[in-house]
Each structure stands twice: as C-alpha cells, then as structure tokens.
Amino acid sequence: MTLNLGVIGCGAIARTHIDRITNTIAGGRIAGVFDVVPEQSKAVVAEYGLDATIFDSDSALIESSDIDAVIVTSRNDAHVSPILQSIAAGKCVFTEKPLATTAEDCKRIVEAEVTAGRRFVQVGFMRRYDPGYRQLKEVIASGEIGPLLLASCRHYNAAPATPYFGTENVINDTFIHEIDIMRFLFDDTYTSIEMRVGRRNSLNPIDGLQEPQVGILETSGGALITAELNINCQYGYDIACRVVGETGTAELPRVPVPEIRKGNKIYEPITSDGSLRFLESYNLEFQAFINSVTRSQSPGQPSAWDGYVAAVTADAAIRSLSTGERVAIELDATPALYSA
Ligand code: NAD
Ligand code: ISE
C-alpha cells in the first residue's frame, strides 16, 4: 500500500521532505499540496514532477478522501490549525517543529488527542533519529560513563533561517532542538532554565535580534545542561554535544567528511545547510511515520506531549530572557495516552 500524503506549506524544508518521499524512502507519495502563496505549491509540483492536486485551502486538503495523512511544513506560527483539523478528521499528521509556538497552543493539541483517545501527531524533532545521538543514548543507557552530571551543547547556524528571525525564535525555533534531545538523552524532566544574551555579533543582519544566547537547564536529578546558541556564526551549521558522567564523558560523533590537505593546512569542510547535516535523520523520521501510519498505528515518537514539554520549557526560557532570572519549569501530569 502507498500512503497518500498532503503537504501544507511548500517552502524550503518541505522541498527536502517532498524530495525524500518521492525519491529516497519507501511507502509514500505526495498526493496533494497547499501553500498560502499559490506559486509555492505550483513550483514544488513542477520541480519534483508530482502527480498531485494543488488544493486551495488547508481544510480542503485535510478533508479530501485522496489524502491519507498530512505533513505540516508551514511557518512556526501556522501549525496549530491544520494539526487540530487533521485530528478532527481522524488523520495522522507529521508536523515540523515546534509543535506550536506556545505551551498553551500545544496543550490544545494534546487535549484534542486525549479527547479522541489516540495519538495522531509526530513532531519533527529529527535528532531523535540521528545515528550519532542514538549512539550517545546507548552509551548513557549502558551505564558506561555512570550517572550524568553535566552536558554542553553547541547549536550554531551560519546565518538566521529567515529574514524575520526574532530574539524569541532563538529559543522556540533553534534551542528547542536541544530542549527536546537533551530530555531524551537524560531521560529526565527539567526543573528550571536560565538564559543570558552575549555581546552582539557586528555581522548579525537583523535589527533587534538579540543573540548569541546561552541557556542553562537543570534536570530534576540536579544535572546541568548548557547550550550555546549562535545563529550568526558565519562559517557553517555546527552541532556538538558532550555529556559528562560520574566515570567518563561521551561526545556526539563528528560527521564523517574528507580531510583536506592543501595550502599548508589540514582541514575538514563543514556545510551551512542543516538539511544536509541531518539528512539521514530526516529520512529515518519520515520512514518511521509512513511505516506506522500504513500499519494503522499511531505515529512514532516524538509525540504531541514531547512537543508540549518542549514548548513549556521554551516559554520559561523566553520569560528568563526578559526577567534575567532563573525560571522554574512546571508541567501538567502526563496523560495516560503518552505514558506508554
Ligand atoms: P519557509 O519560510 O521556507 O517555508 C514556509 C512556507 O509556509 C512558505 O512557503 C509559506 O508561504 C508557507 N505558509 C506560511 N503560512 C502558511 C499557512 N498558514 N498555510 C500554508 N502555508 C503557509 O520555512 P522553512 O524553513 O521551510 O520552515 C518551515 C517549518 O519547518 C518551520 O516550522 C521550521 O521551524 C521547520 N524547520 C525544521 C527544520 C528541522 O531541522 N527540523 C529545519 C528547517 C525548518
Ligand atoms: C531551523 O528551523 C531548524 O530547525 C534547524 O535545525 C535549526 O538549526 C535552525 O536554527 C532553525 O531555524
């Protein structure tokens, strides 16, 4: 069986997902597309030679009997409505991160699933599928480095993802990846977060965008996780993570690239394109989504609950940025739907 997928939001990341579903992974095809800018929908159909309907609204796509499941790749602040509509229509939905830009909106999605009595949503925290992070998780779970004490993360982008990137987006668009993956690695909840802003990079092109930022997360077990968020680093898409246990440390493996020797230098190239850095992770997360939905199962992890927890943490981080203080993180009790 081939799963007929409908894409809502046909921008940069949608193109990469349409490409992987059409040309790389198995079991799905793009059967419909919608974008508020009609030229965007037309362009992806032409670029990828799709046999797909161009819908004139997200509702028409979601309700169409030709669409089995939905992919939401619109901008961050446009995710909630198509996700809620998909749940109401009884269709599974893969949404890019963040689930929504506030915890309040994420909670509406969680409540819709709880009322429906099943999970429909998979959130695009693709690092959970990254082979490097998976290896790190295995090292931690094996007990080889002992109980975790500390972690440090680097999340650098060569330049901001959009011309309208704001100070809060450093948290709810960028840092949100570490917020999710470190909770996954530590297998623990967060109790507090503190944010600081560093000296402005003179090459930062956006007025009012306050970064680089540093975040300090504390887990309920008392471990501390620091993250450097630097989205004007100029030189490439650079992700690093080191965890420190009681008897040793473990680091995210570097991406294997050729070592170049030239002009009295030895160096390794680094891409500025995040969709290349995490290529395999995106392929694996989509294959997991397609496989589970095809088998009439709820989609795989990360769930809407994971999206909600990340948003509660991001909201607290944004409050810390404005108050300059450490902010406590408080979660609702986990509904039974997400505890398995
Ligand atoms: P983009 O600006 O290139 O594309 C967004 C598209 O959404 C545009 O074509 C826009 O016209 C369309 N759009 C806006 N509002 C819409 C609406 N209400 N309904 C339908 N379409 C609408 O942005 P992008 O870089 O492709 O990012 C899209 C999403 O993917 C964001 O949520 C972003 O956070 C996420 N993303 C995730 C990763 C990752 O690593 N997982 C990487 C990049 C982007
Ligand atoms: C973008 O939306 C992503 O999700 C990338 O992985 C991240 O590095 C970048 O900062 C975001 O803008």
Side-chain angles (χ1 to χ4, degrees):
M1 177 195 159
T2 302
L3 197 68
N4 291 310
L5 296 157
V7 177
I8 296 175
C10 301
I13 199 76
R15 284 179 154 74
T16 74
H17 295 334
I18 289 170
D19 185 23
R20 82 186 75 258
I21 289 163
T22 308
N23 299 315
T24 307
I25 64 173
R29 64 177 280 269
I30 306 300
V33 294
F34 167 70
D35 195 292
V36 281
V37 179
E39 292 69 33
Q40 291 280 77
S41 326
K42 289 181 199 147
V44 295
V45 168
E47 267 171 53
Y48 296 97
L50 304 176
D51 177 16
T53 306
I54 298 178
F55 288 93
D56 57 13
S57 70
D58 56 1
S59 320
L61 179 149
I62 292 162
E63 282 158 20
S64 168
S65 56
D66 295 336
I67 300 297
D68 302 321
V70 178
I71 296 172
V72 176
T73 38
S74 49
R75 46 184 280 175
N76 293 345
D77 54 7
H79 294 181
V80 184
S81 168
I83 294 172
L84 289 175
Q85 290 183 66
S86 300
I87 296 171
K91 294 187 182 177
C92 287
V93 50
F94 176 97
T95 178
E96 261 306 345
K97 46 56 61 178
L99 177 62
T101 52
T102 64
E104 199 185 339
D105 275 342
C106 291
K107 201 167 170 186
R108 290 168 62 205
I109 295 168
V110 164
E111 284 170 353
E113 287 195 325
V114 169
T115 304
R118 66 161 286 195
R119 293 192 291 104
F120 290 95
V121 179
Q122 180 175 325
V123 184
F125 288 128
M126 76 297 183
R127 292 188 189 186
R128 290 195 187 207
Y129 290 85
D130 178 68
Y133 277 110
R134 290 256 167 191
Q135 287 170 40
L136 212 44
K137 174 111 179 129
E138 278 165 25
V139 171
I140 296 164
S142 73
E144 196 174 346
I145 60 170
L148 296 184
L149 305 169
L150 298 169
S152 60
C153 310
R154 181 195 307 146
H155 191 154
Y156 289 7
N157 294 169
T162 59
Y164 50 86
F165 212 87
T167 301
E168 294 186 359
N169 300 137
V170 177
I171 294 167
N172 62 23
D173 193 58
T174 300
F175 186 24
I176 198 118
H177 280 292
E178 276 73 25
I179 290 173
D180 180 70
I181 195 67
M182 299 316 288
R183 179 174 150 257
F184 175 70
L185 289 184
F186 274 69
D187 198 16
D188 199 357
T189 51
Y190 298 130
T191 51
S192 74
I193 182 140
E194 185 176 347
M195 298 298 298
R196 295 287 304 274
V197 181
R199 187 176 74 77
R200 183 184 164 87
N201 186 336
S202 66
L203 302 170
N204 175 349
I206 302 181
D207 283 345
L209 170 58
Q210 293 175 41
E211 71 93 42
Q213 298 179 16
V214 173
I216 307 172
L217 282 158
E218 185 171 5
T219 69
S220 64
L224 293 180
I225 300 162
T226 54
E228 287 177 21
L229 312 157
N230 174 6
I231 58 159
N232 280 291
C233 83
Q234 312 296 316
Y235 67 83
Y237 188 95
D238 194 4
I239 306 297
C241 175
R242 180 169 55 93
V243 293
V244 180
E246 291 186 4
T247 58
T249 72
E251 284 200 46
L252 189 65
R254 299 253 295 263
V255 179
V257 288
E259 181 184 278
I260 298 175
R261 288 161 191 255
K262 188 185 163 191
N264 302 107
K265 286 186 192 129
I266 304 176
Y267 60 94
E268 295 175 8
I270 179 167
T271 181
S272 288
D273 185 344
S275 71
L276 295 179
R277 163 64 182 83
F278 284 110
L279 186 65
E280 198 171 349
S281 324
Y282 295 120
N283 288 344
L284 291 169
E285 70 173 354
F286 268 97
Q287 194 64 73
F289 178 75
I290 289 171
N291 290 353
S292 51
V293 177
T294 304
R295 292 178 196 133
S296 303
Q297 295 166 348
S298 284
Q301 304 289 331
S303 66
W305 181 254
D306 296 312
Y308 163 77
V309 173
V312 169
T313 311
D315 280 1
I318 290 167
R319 272 203 303 286
S320 170
L321 211 54
S322 62
T323 62
E325 287 172 5
R326 182 150 64 110
V327 174
I329 295 170
E330 281 154 22
L331 293 171
D332 294 344
T334 312
L337 186 62
Y338 305 102
S339 50

